[in-house]
Amino acid sequence: MTAQALIQMTNVGKFFGAFQALKGINLQVSKGERIVVCGPSGSGKSTMIRCINRLEKHDEGQIIIGGKELTDQVEDINAVRREVGMVFQSFNLFPHMTIVKNLMLAQRLVRKIPKAEAKATAMEYLERVKIPEQADKYPIQLSGGQQQRVAIARALCMKPKIILFDEPTSALDPEMIHEVLEVMTDLARDGMTMICVTHEMGFARSVADRVIFMDAGEIIEEADPKTFFNAPKSERTKKFLSQILTH
Amino acid sequence: MSFDFAIIVDALPKMLMGIGLTFQLLIISAILGLTLAIGLMLMRISGKWYLSWPAQVYIYIFRGTPILVQIFIIYYGFPQLEFIRDSFLWPMFRDPFGCAIFALTLNTGAYVSEILRGGVLGVDRGILEAGSALGLSVRQKFIYLTTPIATRLALPAYGNDIISLLKSTALASTITLADMTGIARTLVAQTFAPYEIFISLAIVYMILTWILQKSLGRVERYLGRYMEK
């Protein structure tokens, strides 16, 4: 099992100056697994997933993605990034490009796919996130929910083996959260390996194979959703759940 | 005091003969200055002290001294130096046009490099992170993301500098060049009518500025078409 793990984090630590953002993180994710990460703000959830595609550099331990260890080697980092897609809280679409060009850029530059094929792939994924009619608009002309669906499609165009979601619905108006979660649920059904930092506990319950609770840079609890929500072991988990579920 | 329109009618065509030289000064030093500015800006943001430090010193010197003084140093000062007279650069520094272009270029380059740096620093970090996450290299991010976005961000301030440069070209008249201002000064010496001639000269500069403003506005709208809802 461990040998085939798509993501293997061993004893990973990360510092921002003197502040320790991650402590002894051990995490294995195998192909097709859907992981939800939750925890209070500042607990290191985002930092942890940002280490997986090297947006943050870990200071201790080892991260192996699809058999490749993340080191300072640029080739290794690029090889890993080709396999790992990411969706951000604030969408981060390229504002100066139309939607379809947003989806084509990395295909063309990184995967060296010919223009026509890149465009066809882009349209295919826009279809999939249900906004093909927006292809020639600019990001600013779309609603937040639409922009986030575009961002998901942009990640999918690179045919990643894993997608990381960093609070994908936190910047959205309530009525738009649903359309994004729907796309994510579809992806999960199709067997995409996903790690999702989110506070959408409904999504965690229905989609996740495992829920991870983090606090103060450590993984406190890790369980299947049923156990996690019904019988949390740690006091900190119980406290966190009581805070977010009572509303 | 009377305002003699006959003098203006007579002087205007003569001054406009200098418009070609004004444009040459403006266009050549704008293009060379922009090239210099890009180089300086790249040095400044390189993160390497041995590149950033000289760029900073350069920018400080040229922003810290009046352009008129820079023109005088180059035109009157450089010919005193033997190694310049002996070098291949002598034909340029012997010629007032060469000196004016040199001074205007060095000056605008210093200002524009800071304008460009402002644009580059204004690019949202999240957008560059998205580029990284998609596997774009540092160079690809700079070419396809930073450059177009920073260009749009820097454009209003850059336009301001171009308009300012147009007016700076008038200083070339102090080193014998017959640009519009140079011709105007000669006409004033001949007619003793400074009021009419300088007013009409001012109006010509205003018309040129208006044309520049409108063109820059068009470019801004074109490059900023993605910012409109």
Side-chain angles (χ1 to χ4, degrees):
Chain A
M1 162 79 199
T2 309
Q4 288 94 32
L6 206 45
I7 299 173
Q8 168 93 44
M9 299 176 92
T10 317
N11 214 12
V12 169
K14 164 81 189 165
F15 294 85
F16 291 115
F19 174 72
Q20 184 159 17
L22 294 178
K23 280 177 218 163
I25 298 286
N26 288 299
L27 177 69
Q28 278 107 46
V29 181
S30 30
K31 193 170 180 316
E33 262 197 300
R34 291 146 303 196
I35 314 282
V36 163
V37 184
C38 60
S41 74
S43 59
K45 312 167 296 237
S46 288
T47 307
M48 181 177 82
I49 67 166
R50 286 163 61 86
C51 281
I52 293 173
N53 66 350
R54 196 66 167 195
L55 288 183
E56 304 287 355
K57 181 177 180 257
H58 59 284
D59 299 310
E60 295 170 349
Q62 196 185 37
I63 303 178
I64 300 172
I65 314 289
K68 271 225 160 51
E69 181 173 358
L70 270 175
T71 64
D72 283 328
Q73 288 292 314
V74 178
E75 300 80 47
D76 292 343
I77 295 172
N78 286 341
V80 164
R81 284 177 176 168
R82 270 198 292 276
E83 308 300 338
V84 181
M86 187 162 200
V87 174
F88 298 86
Q89 180 175 357
S90 48
F91 331 135
N92 294 348
L93 296 178
F94 308 136
H96 58 303
M97 294 181 186
T98 58
I99 298 307
V100 69
K101 293 223 164 100
N102 261 274
L103 272 61
M104 288 165 66
L105 184 74
Q107 294 190 66
R108 305 266 290 131
L109 295 177
V110 179
R111 290 221 183 261
K112 314 284 180 209
I113 290 168
K115 199 171 172 184
E117 195 187 328
K119 189 165 186 182
T121 307
M123 289 313 296
E124 183 192 324
Y125 282 107
L126 281 181
E127 235 22 280
R128 200 160 150 188
V129 300
K130 303 185 190 85
I131 35 176
E133 72 283 358
Q134 310 286 0
D136 294 317
K137 290 196 180 161
Y138 286 101
I140 200 174
Q141 297 167 315
L142 272 59
S143 72
Q146 290 174 327
Q147 288 193 49
Q148 194 60 297
R149 279 142 70 196
V150 171
I152 295 171
R154 180 174 68 176
L156 290 174
C157 279
M158 299 298 283
K159 318 254 161 137
K161 295 205 176 86
I162 305 157
I163 298 196
L164 311 171
F165 290 88
D166 189 2
E167 306 207 24
T169 56
S170 303
L172 295 175
D173 291 332
E175 75 271 21
M176 290 170 185
I177 291 176
H178 178 72
E179 62 188 56
V180 171
L181 289 179
E182 202 172 36
V183 168
M184 290 167 63
T185 308
D186 277 352
L187 265 184
R189 285 215 187 90
D190 291 350
M192 175 62 78
T193 310
M194 301 164 65
I195 302 183
C196 188
V197 173
T198 185
H199 293 137
E200 293 297 330
M201 290 302 130
F203 176 79
R205 247 187 245 271
S206 63
V207 171
D209 298 306
R210 248 191 303 161
V211 181
I212 289 173
F213 173 71
M214 287 181 75
D215 192 17
E218 291 177 284
I219 294 181
I220 303 294
E221 189 150 350
E222 192 175 343
D224 64 275
K226 213 167 169 188
T227 318
F228 183 84
F229 289 110
N230 298 338
K233 283 189 232 79
S234 133
E235 278 311 310
R236 278 194 271 180
T237 314
K238 283 179 198 161
K239 187 162 169 258
F240 175 75
L241 286 175
S242 73
Q243 278 165 347
I244 63 165
L245 293 178
T246 46
H247 297 291
Chain B
M1 148 169 197
S2 65
F3 197 90
D4 190 346
F5 282 98
I7 295 177
I8 294 179
V9 172
D10 195 44
L12 210 52
K14 287 183 187 149
M15 281 190 303
L16 287 176
M17 291 192 4
I19 205 172
L21 188 56
T22 296
F23 274 141
Q24 281 178 35
L25 290 167
L26 173 67
I27 291 165
I28 297 175
S29 44
I31 291 170
L32 294 178
L34 181 61
T35 316
L36 173 67
I38 292 170
L40 284 169
M41 180 272 292
L42 291 174
M43 285 167 74
R44 190 92 160 69
I45 62 168
S46 65
K48 300 189 172 71
W49 67 268
Y50 53 86
L51 292 175
S52 136
W53 201 73
Q56 260 170 284
V57 170
Y58 173 91
I59 292 164
Y60 174 63
I61 291 173
F62 279 87
R63 291 202 305 183
T65 51
I67 182 164
L68 186 60
V69 174
Q70 293 161 17
I71 290 177
F72 285 167
I73 290 174
I74 291 163
Y75 182 66
Y76 295 115
F78 279 17
Q80 313 273 317
L81 304 171
E82 195 154 339
F83 70 90
I84 285 189
R85 285 203 305 273
D86 293 340
S87 79
F88 71 99
L89 288 171
W90 180 232
M92 179 170 88
F93 291 119
R94 199 174 48 197
D95 174 19
F97 181 74
C99 287
I101 292 283
F102 190 69
L104 290 170
T105 297
L106 296 188
N107 192 271
T108 189
Y111 281 92
V112 172
S113 75
E114 286 293 279
I115 290 171
L116 298 181
R117 191 172 69 96
V120 168
L121 295 181
V123 177
D124 180 2
R125 250 191 78 214
I127 290 166
L128 299 176
E129 276 188 351
S132 301
L134 286 162
L136 267 60
S137 69
V138 173
R139 176 191 284 265
Q140 288 169 334
K141 280 187 288 178
F142 195 80
I143 296 173
Y144 294 94
L145 304 179
T146 304
T147 302
I149 296 170
T151 304
R152 176 62 189 83
L153 291 177
L155 202 58
Y158 179 67
N160 199 30
D161 193 79
I162 292 292
I163 287 169
S164 162
L165 181 62
L166 167 69
K167 267 81 59 65
S168 298
T169 61
L171 294 171
S173 69
T174 61
I175 53 170
T176 76
L177 284 175
D179 72 322
M180 291 194 301
T181 306
I183 294 174
R185 291 174 61 188
T186 311
L187 291 174
V188 168
Q190 289 164 358
T191 59
F192 306 108
Y195 192 54
E196 286 87 346
I197 288 178
F198 283 136
I199 289 276
S200 43
L201 176 67
I203 290 169
V204 174
Y205 277 108
M206 282 170 70
I207 293 169
L208 292 183
T209 299
W210 184 80
I211 294 170
L212 274 181
Q213 248 174 20
K214 286 283 159 197
S215 327
L216 287 162
R218 251 168 205 236
V219 178
E220 249 176 64
R221 271 199 305 284
Y222 175 72
L223 290 180
R225 60 199 181 284
Y226 64 82
M227 293 165 134
E228 284 158 28
K229 282 218 176 205

